[in-house]
Amino acid sequence: MSDLEQPLQKLRIDVSAFPKLSAEEAALASQWTTLALRLPENLAKLNEFLKTRTYIVGNSPSEADVDVFSQTESMLRSWSSIEDLSRYRHIIRWADLVQHTLLEPKTPFTVNYSAEVPREIKAKPE
Amino acid sequence: MTTLSLAAKAPLIDYASLVASAFVNTGTDNQITLDFQDVKELEKDITVSVSKDEKVVASNIDNVLNFFAEEYPQVIIGKEEAQEWIKFAKDELTVKDFKKLSVSLEKLESHLNFRSFIVGFKFSLSDIAVWGVLRANPLMGSVIKNSVYINVTRWYQFLESDKRFGAVVELMTKSIAEIRKLAKQQSTGGKKEGHKA
């Protein structure tokens, strides 16, 4: 009876309604769809990527968001320590947006919005 | 006819009201006419106002934003939740003292740790109020450029990329430049022929 055994969440919006991606955006989308197949090893990379982005590509939702979300879902439910929340904060933020705007989850994962994670400091360029 | 009048020489130009009008103009059948005036204030202590059929119905940021939210609730959502953010923006984000501003930006930064929007999952009056005030604050240019606050920067730039935010501010800047050019031509007796692009 775990969440993992649930059928993939129903899409709330028609995929064809997503704006058409430029060649560059489509390449980025496919790159992340591929990288997402090899999570957890790419989790840090995904979190870093989402640091500066609201969605995976461009400034609007795309199929890539739904694809990558489906790969991260089981992990999202397992993160509860402050350490994990802090380490994966950008994935959590993005995934919460995806689940509430693009999907219709029966049981959305919950986010503790006021979790006191340490402030991030921009890494100095090497 | 509804008109939004803005004082372009105000110490803090009221971009939030301008953004709100863009939401109305792009999302409803109504059209709010924009009236940019190259003055410090429209009347004493008033830098922005809305008039309906020539009668002023709201003036200054909170009244104007709330007027729009009441008149056009289908496009300017979240009026109730926005009150604390409008207050926050007015009281804490208009300051030009970097140390003081930093304290408030820290609050916004932690609020955005797990949030893409200030309230909920789409643009609301809270985003409009906070972004508009920050956009007018001259300290913000370097704050954003240097990504001092990671979440604030992501959120700010995401909003800016939406034409109802970024493009509308640009439109105002261009219009004001045009107004000033015309005024200059007139004051020099129109000797210099302006060239139109």
Side-chain angles (χ1 to χ4, degrees), chain A residues 20-112:
Chain A
K20 211 172 156 5
L21 302 181
S22 66
E24 203 180 317
E25 286 169 343
L28 196 60
S30 101
Q31 182 195 340
W32 277 103
T33 308
T34 309
L35 284 170
L37 298 173
R38 284 183 289 113
L39 297 176
E41 59 176 281
N42 290 322
L43 277 178
K45 209 171 165 185
L46 179 61
N47 188 68
E48 186 64 30
F49 181 75
L50 289 169
K51 206 178 240 189
T52 55
R53 290 170 178 83
T54 296
Y55 297 101
I56 300 268
V57 279
N59 283 305
S60 50
S62 71
E63 257 185 286
D65 292 298
V66 178
D67 290 346
V68 177
F69 178 89
S70 65
Q71 302 295 329
T72 51
E73 204 193 345
S74 59
M75 284 168 253
L76 288 161
R77 292 177 193 275
S78 73
W79 295 330
S80 58
S81 69
I82 285 290
E83 202 187 10
D84 280 343
L85 297 183
S86 175
R87 188 185 298 153
Y88 301 125
R89 68 180 80 186
H90 300 294
I91 299 180
I92 296 168
R93 191 266 316 153
W94 158 83
D96 192 38
L97 175 65
V98 172
Q99 74 168 352
H100 280 106
T101 56
L102 307 181
L103 303 166
E104 270 178 353
K106 279 199 202 92
T107 48
F109 73 93
T110 51
V111 176
N112 176 8

Side-chain angles (χ1 to χ4, degrees), chain A residues 50-55 59 85 89-90 92-93 96-97 100-101 111-113 117 119-120 122, chain B residues 106 109-117 121 145-151 154-155 157-158 161:
Chain A
L50 289 169
K51 206 178 240 189
T52 55
R53 290 170 178 83
T54 296
Y55 297 101
N59 283 305
L85 297 183
R89 68 180 80 186
H90 300 294
I92 296 168
R93 191 266 316 153
D96 192 38
L97 175 65
H100 280 106
T101 56
V111 176
N112 176 8
Y113 298 107
V117 291
R119 187 182 149 204
E120 273 186 320
K122 185 188 163 195
Chain B
E106 295 260 355
E109 174 72 4
S110 70
H111 182 79
L112 292 170
N113 264 333
F114 300 105
R115 291 178 176 96
S116 299
F117 297 91
F121 301 98
K145 193 168 156 249
N146 299 319
S147 306
V148 182
Y149 302 94
I150 289 168
N151 298 323
R154 179 193 63 246
W155 164 86
Q157 291 179 330
F158 173 62
S161 75

Side-chain angles (χ1 to χ4, degrees), chain B residues 175-189:
Chain B
S175 305
I176 296 302
E178 195 64 26
I179 291 171
R180 284 180 191 160
K181 208 169 97 185
L182 285 172
K184 205 174 168 192
Q185 277 168 22
Q186 276 169 5
S187 69
T188 54

